[in-house]
Amino acid sequence: MTSTTPTASALSTTATTSTASTASTTSVASVASWDDLVAAALLGTERRTPPVAPRPGQDAPSALLDAAALSTVRRRAGLRPAPARPGPGRAPEDPRPALPTAARSRLALLLADRSAPGRGGPRSAPDLAELLPQWLALANHHGYRVPDALLPALLDAARARTDLRPEALTLGGPRALWLARLNPDWKFALRGAAGRAPTPLPEPSDVAAAPDDEQRLWEEGLFAERVSLLASARHRDPAAGLALLSGTWSTERAEDRLMFLDSLRDDLSPSDEPFLEQALSDRSRNVRATAAELLSALPGSALAARMAERSRGCVALTTDEPTAGERIAVRPPDECDSGMQRDGIVAKPPSGRGKRSWWLGQLVEATPLDRWSEWFGGRTPAEIVALPVTDGWQADLHAAWCRAAVRQRSAEWCRALLGTPAVAPVTARQAAPAAWRDPAKLLSALPARERAEWVAEFIASHGLSDAFRLLGVCTVPWAEPLGHAVVDALDIARDAGSYPWSFSGVMGLAERCLDPSQADRLEVLTAIPDETEGAAPGARGYWAEAFQRLVGTLRLRAAMQAELAPA
């Protein structure tokens, strides 16, 4: 390759300086792919003819650089090079307020750090990539829109991390969907994110006065637009939203029917029962199962009554004659008939699970919880859970009650099944069926303050090793006394001479979930104490760095909150 041949790195280096001379090569560069341009640069223009035609008097290396400049600008703008065609329509307006200047700079920094090849800073520096989800959620809470110039980087971030998609697409708004139509790399935005409407799309200016516009959007819109429209219509008028879905239900694809059906959860009401009963006969097994789950969440539904009748035949209160003590007798079903299968009972159990216990669990899970108090002489959930169960069926019965309590959001049953934190089962180290309780899921149905207090007491009794999943279901920022309990446990682990990476998961949660106002109180933990006898070599220094990072992250979160606060 001669010295006049552009190298691969020169393609981007000279992009911004060569753009002005590319006008006559536009049509040719439109069909030249970036890979073809790079290949010509790597091999040299003397060995491979560039995929562009030079202008009169221009040599091949210069023509290659001009084409690379044009392609680079298009790539940075988020538009793929393509043959000439009519330009896209005007981007939709987004009436939401723009980000404050400091917050805009912060977002640019967070997105740039996400694409960095590695963390180049010291170990005590905050991890900006882990703060991006929280920043997006906070910006959406205040109702801001993303700056247009940062939309491509935001969509790239959402493409790389599925956990960012709901918040990123909400912040991107209708312009994110408009831009996603121009680049196949962002097609995920057109299909929604994790079953929820990804962005608050603008509704018709007057839905009541323009029903045709709403119907047209429902019939012709992108999937993400349709999901958003259905959620909006259901929130405004559940019956009207259901009528919208019913009109096209039979023509929808199975995966779309499943996601539409799942979107009914938030505004579920008894008036949805006829539609859900029809969905029990759907040709898709997943749709049938979701319809049955939704119906079982309606205690007054016919399906719940059918399930209760089946459960009553399997679980009953009996008296043990020798001791005159009452206990629960269990006789699981002998078969899974067609009626049970239509109501959502899956006939084939998972590997290693008995058929009858599998069927029993599904029946009990779908039974309204208030029926058990009615059948067991008015006993409270705590009294029912305390009753002995015959023939080793306790684990299966209580596990089904746990799932029912979470599904039906019964705080009273969740409290009864959780028990006290001091004696709660440590599920992470138990094998089924002993680990029939899942504290993390049961806690999710309790009020945020009660949840935090329960986990704080759990940590005081069991330490941090088994608290990671429990911490993950607590509301951010952690309410007290949970924050104090976590910091105290970390301090105890440091004094015990353990290495901090044994608690890296909890430390990472603390960085994202502790109240930022705690930073000053934690400053004392950033000092490096003297090594003690028996401690792991160098552990104290590593702990000091870990706490420095924790304090630095909390202060950065406080700064982010201040930058996003409305003026």
Side-chain angles (χ1 to χ4, degrees), residues 25 253 264 514:
T25 62
R253 299 188 307 171
L264 302 182
L514 273 177

Side-chain angles (χ1 to χ4, degrees), residues 203-217 229 236:
E203 300 178 20
S205 57
D206 186 356
V207 174
D212 291 343
D213 292 343
E214 186 177 60
Q215 187 65 36
R216 185 179 304 108
L217 180 60
L229 175 61
R236 183 179 66 250

